[in-house]
Amino acid sequence: VYYLAAVALALLVPLILLAGLWVRAEFAQSQRDVETYLATRAAALSQRLDDEIRQQLTVLQAMAALPSLDGPDLAAFHAEAARMLPAMPQWSLVSLVEPNTGRQILNTQRPVGAELPLTTAPDVVRQVVQTRQPALRTRPPQSGVLFGDHVVLLYVPVVRDGVVREVLAAGMRAEFVQRLVAEQAHDPRLLTVVVDEREHILARSRVPE
């Protein structure tokens, strides 16, 4: 009986090992499939957001090329920006910033000539001046500013004669990001969340609970 039991165990051990390896391989494959599925969905949403941001930056760059900014003629540009805002309902404001001081010299939330606060992101203004490239920065809800809600700020340089004269900024409402997320087809088993560079939540597919 002992010999028979030993033979049976000797036969079972390789089978158990093979079964364990098969289960492990199947689990690893299932995990890879889940990771691929999640990465694909995240990449699709990221691409959608990137495309929208690029379109908005293109509009802002076109505004930076307006002749009214040659001087600049602040009254003329303020009127032009105010006329364009209804065509960009996702924007809450357009602002013009001095590159050296970071002082706002125009904001569509206020009439021309009104006293305006400093920009909330002077480091980004300096970056745009140095690189002459667009930049983005999110701003959490704040009190004591012209627009206190959560916004995504888009910056582009205003270049004349090879010099950055001003920096043009637009404030995109964070609710617009939420709307883009809501437009995507969502798996009810998943929670999709978009966070900014400070890890503040900009949008989510459903309530976390």
Side-chain angles (χ1 to χ4, degrees), residues 33-167:
D33 291 343
V34 170
E35 291 173 351
T36 300
Y37 174 68
L38 294 175
T40 301
R41 293 184 66 88
L45 178 57
S46 178
Q47 184 64 47
R48 176 72 178 89
L49 293 171
D50 286 346
D51 290 344
E52 181 61 40
I53 291 296
R54 277 193 292 268
Q55 292 176 13
Q56 295 192 36
L57 285 173
T58 299
V59 173
L60 196 59
Q61 287 170 326
M63 293 179 66
L66 289 173
S68 56
L69 288 179
D70 293 347
D73 185 339
L74 296 181
F77 179 74
H78 190 283
E80 291 170 341
R83 285 196 299 269
M84 293 183 67
L85 277 177
M88 302 294 293
Q90 61 271 46
W91 288 0
S92 59
L93 58 90
V94 172
S95 173
L96 196 63
V97 182
E98 285 186 342
N100 297 325
T101 65
R103 183 177 68 90
Q104 290 190 83
I105 57 176
L106 179 144
N107 191 302
T108 54
Q109 295 280 327
R110 292 289 186 273
V112 177
E115 186 175 350
L116 300 171
L118 296 174
T119 177
T120 56
D123 55 328
V124 181
V125 171
R126 288 192 296 269
Q127 174 189 332
V128 172
V129 173
Q130 293 169 1
T131 64
R132 300 190 182 187
Q133 296 296 320
L136 286 89
R137 171 68 61 84
T138 58
R139 192 198 68 193
Q142 293 182 358
S143 59
V145 297
L146 294 182
F147 188 80
D149 292 341
H150 201 164
V151 294
V152 180
L153 295 168
L154 297 80
Y155 297 86
V156 298
V158 178
V159 181
R160 298 293 188 273
D161 300 323
V163 178
V164 179
R165 298 275 189 86
E166 293 91 17
V167 173

Side-chain angles (χ1 to χ4, degrees), residues 137-209:
R137 171 68 61 84
T138 58
R139 192 198 68 193
Q142 293 182 358
S143 59
V145 297
L146 294 182
F147 188 80
D149 292 341
H150 201 164
V151 294
V152 180
L153 295 168
L154 297 80
Y155 297 86
V156 298
V158 178
V159 181
R160 298 293 188 273
D161 300 323
V163 178
V164 179
R165 298 275 189 86
E166 293 91 17
V167 173
L168 186 62
M172 182 183 74
R173 295 179 174 88
E175 291 87 349
F176 180 70
V177 181
Q178 177 63 59
R179 190 157 70 248
L180 290 179
V181 171
E183 290 173 356
Q184 305 298 306
H186 293 290
D187 187 329
R189 300 169 298 173
L190 304 178
L191 171 63
T192 303
V193 178
V194 179
V195 298
D196 64 15
E197 71 276 10
R198 298 181 181 87
E199 297 187 1
H200 295 150
I201 294 177
L202 285 173
R204 58 192 181 197
S205 61
R206 57 186 173 85
V207 295
E209 293 79 7

